[in-house]
Amino acid sequence: MKRRTGQDRSITRHWKPATQAVRGGTMRSEFGETSEAIFLTSGYAYDCAGDAAARFAGEQEGMTYSRLQNPTVAMLEERIALLEGAEACRTMATGMAAMTAALLCQLQQGDHVVAGRAAFGSCRWLTDTLLPKFGIETTIIDARDPQQFEDAAKANTKLFFFETPANPTMDVVDLEAVCGIARARGIRTLVDNAFATPALQRPLDFGADIVAYSATKMMDGQGRVLAGAVTGSEDFITNTLLPFTRNTGPTLSAFNAWVVLKGLETLDLRITRQSENALKVGRFLEGRVPRINFPGLPSHKQHNLAMRQMVAAGPIFSFEVDGGRTQAHALLDALELVDISNNIGDSRSLMTHPSSTTHSGVAEEKRIEMGVTEGMLRLNVGLEDPEDVIADLDQALGRAGL
Ligand SMILES: *Cc1c(COP(=O)(O)O)cnc(C)c1O
């Protein structure tokens, strides 16, 4: 019976997100396990040689090799697709494997990409170093201004690539405006939605074509595994992404897929609470530091836009001190509860100094152009009681001379 072993998309896509997060994609084995099983297998056996041939020919449903398909991984992919409102999803070993695959599977020599300048450091390496190496030209723009996408687009522009909110400046991109410009010109949009996740923002609803993830962040949410995902239309995933990933092999392990499956069950609870906690911490910091970059605060220039396209502003923001790297490091070193860590999306509060960690690989002039200053600190607000986090920040700020 389908309801027991597999699922019917025509039913599950009408479930509410909270139901999809807990039950979406579940396939039960003959044992009827309630929690999804971890299928740690690299291969699959066939009843007869004809079955093997039929499966390879795509004439028989079933799995052949775990670089290509795995039941645990397939359950996660279906759950993410449902939450995203996407026709299809494929997971990858890391967020960067997802971004790399999403770019390289559809681009070729002579193509042009317009990308947002505020981005995760490795995403900037892809646009600034990797793509040009293969004859793919990129133009880097300030993605907060939709007009800059319009102005940078050329006859050979294939893709707009950006994050919103962006790491670590928290620049917000107007999804509807930018995706509208892309649609009108037949250009695809690739959105890195790692900061928001489908629980807070669904770019496909605003006209985006492809949404990619570091599932390492809020989706796992407890700092355990690395994972990535790409979602989009069935046509894009099957005919453009899959030929690339099946042959290059950035496959997610079944164990890591299972961890993220479990993470998704509590994603909405965690991100809602962490967003509330971040607002409390943000309001405290607003009065104590010279500058705070947090779209969740009404004082932020892009607050209205962020609230139009997001359910809540999320657990991550950055702020700046005037004393440069010395004062930023002094503040980090004075922390007693909040960890010094460059990870985000964890249930623990973590703080990092992007210019000496996550963005140290980006050339200094590009960092400055992106707005990643020497006095910038990025904070991921966790599930601890926000009063304890505020007390820790209060004492650390004092010791750092703020
Ligand atoms: C972390 C991150 C990535 C990279 O993901 P990994 O899982 O670390 O490979 C890409 N984009 C954004 C916005 C991120 O925060």
Side-chain angles (χ1 to χ4, degrees), residues 93-97 99 119-120 122-123 163 165-167 192-195 213-217 225-228 343-344 378:
T94 66
M96 285 322 300
M99 302 305 156
F120 188 66
S122 292
C123 291
E163 301 173 14
N167 188 352
D192 180 341
N193 201 34
F195 269 41
Y213 283 100
S214 168
T216 313
K217 310 296 167 53
V225 299
L226 285 100
N343 195 20
I344 47 171
R378 188 192 65 196

Side-chain angles (χ1 to χ4, degrees), residues 359-376:
H359 288 68
S360 59
V362 180
E364 196 186 345
E365 79 271 9
K366 281 185 191 156
R367 274 207 306 269
I368 291 164
E369 185 197 53
M370 282 167 80
V372 180
T373 63
E374 286 296 300
M376 178 179 279

